[in-house]
């Protein structure tokens, strides 16, 4: 495989990394011999005094490990051996007698950053496409090329743990400030700057900037005793955030601690052994499968049908509309943001500006880049400017009549080939398009809040939707940076439809005397990022009541009567977090003294219990809660596949994880069904049906798979 080519320039060997046949550079065992040969040749070449590593790919340095290669290694010990080989190459780079400079443009993630860490000097481009990170924890793994040992020695321990335990992206200016890179320069000057640095390093070591660390960090990291406090607190934080469901962050802490407290060599050994253990773990297998699914969904299967979109109209400048405008303008679309008044537009534009300003303060983007994005958004109060738009995304209130009205008003002024997309969470697209002049151009684009942060976009199509309109909407979503799934129309589509019965079941548990905090805690232990009662508050009790009204007839037809308690609570003024009165009380400003006295930012609102039979509460068995809440959601997902709402189990798993927070380490509803087996799921659902009624009636597809011993994935 062609991967490496070398050009010589006045003593500097420019090593171009350009993996043949791949869009990005990846690291695999096939590179061991290639890198060793490269280093041998550079060392023996008298004409070479230094080297620069640079990527031949447009926007990637090295994207990380070749996961297909790693997970194909089945022989016991083979993965540990691969890690030791990688460590040996990194050590050889680090101890190489001739200076090696990493010239980084684009993504340097995982093993890619480990290669850069081994180099003697690092220069990064200031492009927004340049991101650095050790992202292995997101895949259930840990850095396995020496990264757990090099990073804490390059930057301070606490920042290194933060990078490795979160897998967060670090941007160029942040990287320079923390000592992760030595220089930041414009993309077009990167190679020249790297060659210049390499030549200077030959003459004498370049003076490195002292890494700036807070005084408290220096104190805590100065002795084994104080470092132990850091490791102890890191374990507490990981346990609190993961509920012990993910082994990789604990292995990262253990490996770093071994290297710092015992020896670097023992740290490398621990890293390689832990890497093999984690690759073999069920959690990593599920997380890596999710990664592959996301990668698949970045490719538009009907790209040949896509029509060009240059200008997007957004109807409604509220929180959702502003977010849609922001992610569109950020990807070079021109955006017309419409609302009924200039005051509403000003609030929407301020929402976008404030969010971008946070990135400016964190050195993720410049003032100029912020202003460029803002300049692509034009506020309007009339429909007329929509004449030039290729796509209109409506984000008005969840009211069928209102949505039909704005659709008619939009169609009156737009071109005959302009797509109309409704950002609705539950209203059927067919009903919205019932009176449309061009129903074949009407579809749903269901974004999740907050739009700039939430990764999923659910596109909803009817039987009338034109294929080219669907393909174009998918392309826009991919360009916006979203993971896009396409589903068929119906009440609640997919994500809202499967979430609704789970939240309804949480209300049923409360009606049976359940305790708010206990239900939330148990489901967080199961793996959800927030508990279902908290989620109702976050979504809004009034919104939940509306969704329940939309989906109610479908569930009633199956003999499952939804709870009407959210409507009663909403009528009584309980809206959730938005008005700080829901199942919890929300306090924005809690002083230090109030914290000492026991006041929290979020406390149970015990008055909510009056809707559920009073203050006498009990704690249901944890397994019962988890079975009822998880399986009622999984069962509904299976019905969606059975009815053709979903086109594949993959889309169902991706939608549940990235839209609703289904535990990633369980792989999504369908991989979870495979994990526990359809037979076990059927038995549990039948038991729940006997106890609680028709809302647990197993989907026919689960019965069929159980009977035929089939799985949803081969």
């Amino acid at each position: 495989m062609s991967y490496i080519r070398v050009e010589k320039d006045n003593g500097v060997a420019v090593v171009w990394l350009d993996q043949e046949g791949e869009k990005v550079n990846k690291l695999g065992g096939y590179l061991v011999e290639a890198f060793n040969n490269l280093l041998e040749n550079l060392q023996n070449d008298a004409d070479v005094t230094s080297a620069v590593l640079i990527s031949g790919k447009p926007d990637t340095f090295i994207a990380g490990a070749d996961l297909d290669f790693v997970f194909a290694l089945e022989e016991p010990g083979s993965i540990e051996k691969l890690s030791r080989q990688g460590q040996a190459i990194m050590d050889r780079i680090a101890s190489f007698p001739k200076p090696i400079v990493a010239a980084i443009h684009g993504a340097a993630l995982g093993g890619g950053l480990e290669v850069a860490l081994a180099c003697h000097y690092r220069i990064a481009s200031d492009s927004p496409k340049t991101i650095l990170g050790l992202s292995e924890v997101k895949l259930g793994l840990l850095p396995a090329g020496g990264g757990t040992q090099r990073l804490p020695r390059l930057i301070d321990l606490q920042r290194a743990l933060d990078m490795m335990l979160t897998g967060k992206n670090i941007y160029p200016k942040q990287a320079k400030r923390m000592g992760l890179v030595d220089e930041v320069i414009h993309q077009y000057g990167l190679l020249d700057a790297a060659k210049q640095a390499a030549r200077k390093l030959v003459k004498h070591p370049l003076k490195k900037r002292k890494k700036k660390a807070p005084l408290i960090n220096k104190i805590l990291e100065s002795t084994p005793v104080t470092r132990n406090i850091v490791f102890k607190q890191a374990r507490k934080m990981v346990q609190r955030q993961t509920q012990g469901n993910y082994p990789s962050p604990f292995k990262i802490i253990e490996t770093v601690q071994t290297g710092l407290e015992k020896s670097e060599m023992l740290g490398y050994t621990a890293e390689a052994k832990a890497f093999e253990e984690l690759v073999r773990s069920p959690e990593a297998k599920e997380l890596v499968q999710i990664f592959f699914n996301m990668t698949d969904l970045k490719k538009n299967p009907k790209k040949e049908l896509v029509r060009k979109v240059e200008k997007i109209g957004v109807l409604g400048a509220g929180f959702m509309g502003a977010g849609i405008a922001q992610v569109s303008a950020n990807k070079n679309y021109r955006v017309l943001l419409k609302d009924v008044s200039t005051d509403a537009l000003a609030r929407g534009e301020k929402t976008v500006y404030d969010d971008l300003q946070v990135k400016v303060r964190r050195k993720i983007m410049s003032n100029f880049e912020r202003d460029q994005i803002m300049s692509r958004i034009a506020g309007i109060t009339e429909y007329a400017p929509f004449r030039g738009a290729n796509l209109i995304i409506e984000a008005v209130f969840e009211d069928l009549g209102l949505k039909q009205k704005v659709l008619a008003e939009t169609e009156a002024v737009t071109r005959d080939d302009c797509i109309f997309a409704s950002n609705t969470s539950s209203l059927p697209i067919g009903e919205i398009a019932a009176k449309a002049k061009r129903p074949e151009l009407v579809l749903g684009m269901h974004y999740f809040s907050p739009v700039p942060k939430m990764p999923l976009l659910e596109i909803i199509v009817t039987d009338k939707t034109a294929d080219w309109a669907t393909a174009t909407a998918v392309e826009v979503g991919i360009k916006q940076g979203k993971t896009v799934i396409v589903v068929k129309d119906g009440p609640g589509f997919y994500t809202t439809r499967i979430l609704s019965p789970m939240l309804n079941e949480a209300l049923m548990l409360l009606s049976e005397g359940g305790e708010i905090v206990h239900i939330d805690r148990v489901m967080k232990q199961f793996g959800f990022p927030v508990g279902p009662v908290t989620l109702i508050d976050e979504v809004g009790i009034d919104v939940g009541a509306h969704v329940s009204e939309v989906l109610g007839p479908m569930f009633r037809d199956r003999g499952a009567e939804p709870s009407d308690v959210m409507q009663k609570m909403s009528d009584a003024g309980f809206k959730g977090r938005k008005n700080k009165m829901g199942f919890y009380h929300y306090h924005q400003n809690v002083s230090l003294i109030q914290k000492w006295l026991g006041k929290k930012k979020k406390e149970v609102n015990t008055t909510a219990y009056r809707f559920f039979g009073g203050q006498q509460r009990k704690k249901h068995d944890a397994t019962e809660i988890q079975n009822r809440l998880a399986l009622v959601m999984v069962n509904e997902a299976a019905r969606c596949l059975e009815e053709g709402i979903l086109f594949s189990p993959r889309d169902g798993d991706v939608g549940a994880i990235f839209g609703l927070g289904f535990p990633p380490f369980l792989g999504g509803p369908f991989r979870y069904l495979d994990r526990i087996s359809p037979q076990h799921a059927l038995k549990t659902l039948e038991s729940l049906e006997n106890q609680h009624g028709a809302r647990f009636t197993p989907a026919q597809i689960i019965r069929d798979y159980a009977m035929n011993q089939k799985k949803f994935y081969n």
Side-chain angles (χ1 to χ4, degrees), residues 40-51:
E40 195 69 32
N41 292 337
L42 293 180
Q43 189 166 346
N44 295 331
D45 192 335
D47 293 332
V48 172
T49 56
S50 59

Side-chain angles (χ1 to χ4, degrees), residues 66 104 124 204 238 365 442 487 503 527 534 595 633 645 648:
D66 184 337
I104 305 165
H204 52 79
V238 167
M365 69 169 52
V442 180
V487 302
L503 299 186
T534 294
K595 283 184 182 178
M633 173 188 258
I645 298 295
S648 69

